[in-house]
Amino acid sequence: MPVLPRLLAVTAVLLSAPFAAGAGRHASSETTIASAPTVQPGVQPGGVWLSRLAPAANPKVLELAVSAMQCAQASGIGADARRLAVIDYSRPSLKPRLWVFDLAAGRLLYEEVVAHGQGSGENMATRFSNLDGSHQSSLGLFVTADTYTGKNGYSLRMRGLEPGVNDAAMARAIVMHGAPYVDPTQGQRMGRLGRSWGCPAVRSAVAKPMIDLLKDGQFVFSYYPDQAWLTRSALLKCPAARKTLARSLGTAVSTSG
């Protein structure tokens, strides 16, 4: 079956799946960019223009995120999305590695730390999984769903769009939520942020406004230079993604996941 029809079929199954309650633990630091400069979206190809908004982010990761998003949108998923969150798990947990962009306005909304799963590593995440009970973070592209209030407070459900990579996110209760253990000050003493059970947990102070910006059909892209994922991801095989992917694979590090 061609890539895009297969992606649509998988997503249809995910959309019909029941929602699960959330679980997790995490740690991070806020930069709400209220007065940040804006750029005209789409003037440059891929995600190049996002680098002007987030110069600390890896431009290749931003390009991959936009390419994966555009591939999903070409399949009819998240066609009206206005916001994109990018997580770069190749960066240490004590450094900002989550960027939230307003694509329509051409603005950076947040630059934050974000926790990874207990099973993924200490300060550096190196292991990723789609398996329940692994307590590892998952890679790839997610489209956001609804919100709920559970044991971790206000939380955002996410549907993984990549079969075998993150499509168990709903069943695993991989959600975005705030957590007191996402605390950079305490993290400096420990040598890492607190960790979740695989959820991208953020600081409690920014959780609700960030989740409200990302709920209901926006995108979240989680990256690590895992060569196996980069080479098999259907969302990174669309024509729009091939050039960026080829550049990224030149520096990719093969890992188990």
Side-chain angles (χ1 to χ4, degrees), residues 16-54:
S16 64
F19 291 128
R25 305 176 55 179
H26 296 57
S28 198
S29 120
E30 173 206 39
T31 307
T32 304
I33 319 292
S35 58
T38 61
V39 299
Q40 183 61 39
V43 172
Q44 294 174 292
V48 174
W49 61 276
L50 295 182
S51 296
R52 294 176 56 192
L53 298 174

Side-chain angles (χ1 to χ4, degrees), residues 78-102:
D80 297 325
R82 294 172 53 89
R83 285 171 284 278
L84 169 67
V86 180
I87 301 171
D88 184 355
Y89 283 124
S90 70
R91 294 168 63 90
S93 69
L94 291 173
K95 290 187 177 294
R97 55 181 181 175
L98 164 63
W99 295 268
V100 179
F101 299 95
D102 185 326

Side-chain angles (χ1 to χ4, degrees), residues 48-222:
V48 174
W49 61 276
L50 295 182
S51 296
R52 294 176 56 192
L53 298 174
N58 185 331
K60 291 182 180 180
V61 174
L62 299 180
E63 287 187 70
L64 282 175
V66 171
S67 296
M69 178 190 71
Q70 291 174 339
C71 183
Q73 289 178 319
S75 301
I77 301 166
D80 297 325
R82 294 172 53 89
R83 285 171 284 278
L84 169 67
V86 180
I87 301 171
D88 184 355
Y89 283 124
S90 70
R91 294 168 63 90
S93 69
L94 291 173
K95 290 187 177 294
R97 55 181 181 175
L98 164 63
W99 295 268
V100 179
F101 299 95
D102 185 326
L103 301 173
R107 295 186 62 195
L108 174 64
L109 302 176
Y110 288 95
E111 183 175 63
E112 283 281 332
V113 296
V114 60
H116 56 250
Q118 294 172 347
S120 287
E122 296 292 325
N123 188 37
M124 299 296 299
T126 58
R127 300 178 299 277
F128 301 89
S129 178
N130 195 37
L131 297 177
D132 191 21
S134 68
H135 293 181
Q136 293 181 18
S137 299
S138 294
L139 299 175
L141 186 68
F142 303 79
V143 64
T144 63
D146 63 336
T147 62
Y148 69 96
T149 301
K151 68 178 184 179
N152 290 302
Y154 194 54
S155 303
L156 174 64
R157 294 182 173 103
M158 308 189 303
R159 299 185 180 98
L161 298 178
E162 304 204 35
V165 175
N166 63 16
D167 59 343
M170 281 287 187
R172 294 179 62 203
I174 300 301
V175 301
M176 180 176 284
H177 62 79
Y181 55 82
V182 182
D183 180 343
T185 301
Q186 182 179 353
Q188 290 293 340
R189 293 193 292 268
M190 295 192 302
R192 60 166 173 77
L193 280 184
R195 296 167 299 169
S196 69
W197 284 6
C199 297
V202 298
R203 293 186 306 114
S204 298
V206 301
K208 189 178 190 308
M210 183 184 294
I211 286 171
D212 281 340
L213 285 168
L214 288 173
K215 66 184 179 182
D216 298 332
Q218 311 306 311
F219 286 103
V220 177
F221 181 78
S222 295

Side-chain angles (χ1 to χ4, degrees), residues 10-22:
V10 170
T11 304
V13 172
L14 293 173
L15 292 175
S16 64
F19 291 128

